């Protein structure tokens, strides 16, 4: 249900971007926090670039902290991605992780295949960017966490249902608004063409004598 809601949200963002082309393409969307046993789970991590004209190198690390057991709280490096290479270290997720990020590395998401109950825990997405300027190279770092819960089946979320309904309403409204705008523009253009055609027709209907000898002004 939450995944469908995010899909509708992305569709809404696409429609808005088509109407307002000046708006940024990158949109920061929060990750789902509920996974289903045996299914694939995408851990979404997005950090939009604010200086696209500057050369930047991006380094990404994903850390996993299992649910606390016997007072222990240990984090594991489960995935690392940089501009030169990608690698998956030896960890509980070996052969079950896929890179799901974008080419420009604004989205640095990963996907877990065949989720198990042991995958519950805290996931941390660490992003480190080094910007290239002529005189100095500033570094930008951001960390995002996802507290993942694994369940046997998806739970019915009333809030998500209402949000999905509202999303459908907004999509219908935007589609109708775009249609009205298109009809209005078409009618406006057609009316301008008709007025230009009427003016040309009226001009052609005037006798040539009147065109050559316009009426003299009336004097008292």
């Amino acid at each position: 249900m939450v995944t469908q809601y995010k899909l509708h949200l992305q569709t809404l963002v696409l429609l808005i971007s088509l109407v307002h082309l000046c708006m940024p393409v990158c949109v920061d969307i929060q990750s789902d926090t509920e996974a289903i046993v045996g299914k694939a789970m995408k851990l979404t991590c997005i950090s939009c670039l604010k200086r696209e004209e500057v050369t930047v190198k991006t380094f990404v690390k994903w850390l996993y902290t299992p649910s606390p057991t016997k007072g222990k709280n240990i984090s594991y490096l489960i995935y690392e991605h940089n501009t030169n290479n990608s690698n998956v270290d030896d960890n509980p997720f070996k052969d079950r992780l896929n890179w799901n990020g974008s080419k420009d590395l604004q989205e640095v998401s990963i996907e877990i295949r065949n989720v198990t109950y042991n995958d519950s825990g805290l996931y941390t997405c660490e992003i480190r960017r080094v910007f290239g300027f002529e005189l100095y190279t500033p570094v930008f770092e951001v960390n995002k966490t996802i507290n993942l819960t694994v369940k046997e089946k998806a739970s019915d979320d009333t809030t998500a249902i209402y949000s999905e309904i509202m999303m459908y309403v907004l999509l219908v409204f935007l589609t109708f608004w775009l249609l009205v705008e298109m009809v209005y523009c078409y009618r406006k253009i057609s009316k301008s063409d008709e007025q230009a055609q009427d003016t040309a027709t009226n001009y052609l209907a005037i006798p040539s004598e009147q065109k050559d000898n316009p009426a003299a002004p009336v004097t008292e």
Side-chain angles (χ1 to χ4, degrees):
M1 181 66 68
V2 178
T3 302
Q4 294 179 354
Y5 167 72
K6 290 184 63 180
L7 178 61
H8 299 323
L9 179 59
Q10 292 173 352
T11 305
L12 177 60
V13 171
L14 177 60
L15 283 174
I16 295 175
S17 63
L18 290 176
V19 179
H20 302 283
L21 296 178
C22 61
M23 295 180 63
V25 176
C26 180
V27 179
D28 193 349
I29 301 176
Q30 298 299 320
S31 176
D32 289 341
T33 58
E34 183 178 294
I36 309 301
V37 174
K39 302 293 184 179
M41 175 63 189
K42 179 180 178 180
L43 300 177
T44 303
C45 182
I46 299 176
S47 177
C48 299
L49 284 169
K50 298 181 180 179
R51 297 176 178 176
E52 298 179 353
E53 73 282 1
V54 178
T55 303
V56 60
K57 293 183 179 180
T58 303
F59 306 90
V60 181
K61 289 183 180 180
W62 277 92
L63 304 177
Y64 167 63
T65 305
S67 300
T69 304
K70 297 181 181 180
K72 296 182 179 180
N73 194 7
I74 303 175
S75 296
Y76 300 91
L77 176 63
I78 61 174
Y79 199 88
E80 185 173 7
H81 184 93
N82 55 51
T83 54
N84 297 321
N85 59 72
S86 306
N87 63 78
V88 179
D89 296 331
D90 188 11
N91 57 74
F93 300 91
K94 186 177 181 180
D95 300 327
R96 290 198 298 127
L97 293 180
N98 287 336
W99 173 255
N100 210 327
S102 60
K103 186 176 181 179
D104 59 3
L105 295 181
Q106 294 193 85
E107 179 178 0
V108 294
S109 306
I110 60 174
E111 182 185 59
I112 305 175
R113 301 191 308 273
N114 192 21
V115 173
T116 67
Y117 284 110
N118 293 330
D119 296 339
S120 295
L122 188 67
Y123 295 81
T124 303
C125 170
E126 296 183 353
I127 303 173
R128 182 173 179 268
R129 289 196 173 102
V130 180
F131 294 90
F133 291 91
E134 294 182 358
L135 300 178
Y136 68 105
T137 55
V139 177
F140 170 78
E141 295 182 353
V142 60
N143 296 337
K144 296 188 176 183
T145 59
I146 303 171
N147 192 3
L148 186 66
T149 302
V150 179
K151 297 184 177 181
E152 183 178 357
K153 60 180 182 179
S155 59
D156 296 331
D157 189 351
T158 305
T159 303
I161 295 175
Y162 287 142
S163 299
E164 185 176 5
I165 294 174
M166 292 301 298
M167 192 62 59
Y168 275 120
V169 173
L170 287 175
L171 287 174
V172 172
F173 172 77
L174 277 177
T175 303
F176 177 76
W177 179 70
L178 290 173
L179 181 61
V180 170
E181 287 291 327
M182 292 175 62
V183 172
Y184 171 76
C185 293
Y186 174 77
R187 289 184 175 179
K188 188 174 182 180
I189 294 173
S190 299
K191 187 176 181 180
S192 298
D193 293 340
E194 290 177 358
Q195 290 177 350
Q197 186 176 3
D198 291 342
T199 302
T201 302
N202 294 334
Y203 179 79
L204 292 175
I206 298 175
S208 58
E209 294 81 0
Q210 296 184 11
K211 296 179 183 178
D212 298 334
N213 301 311
V218 178
T219 58
E220 293 181 358

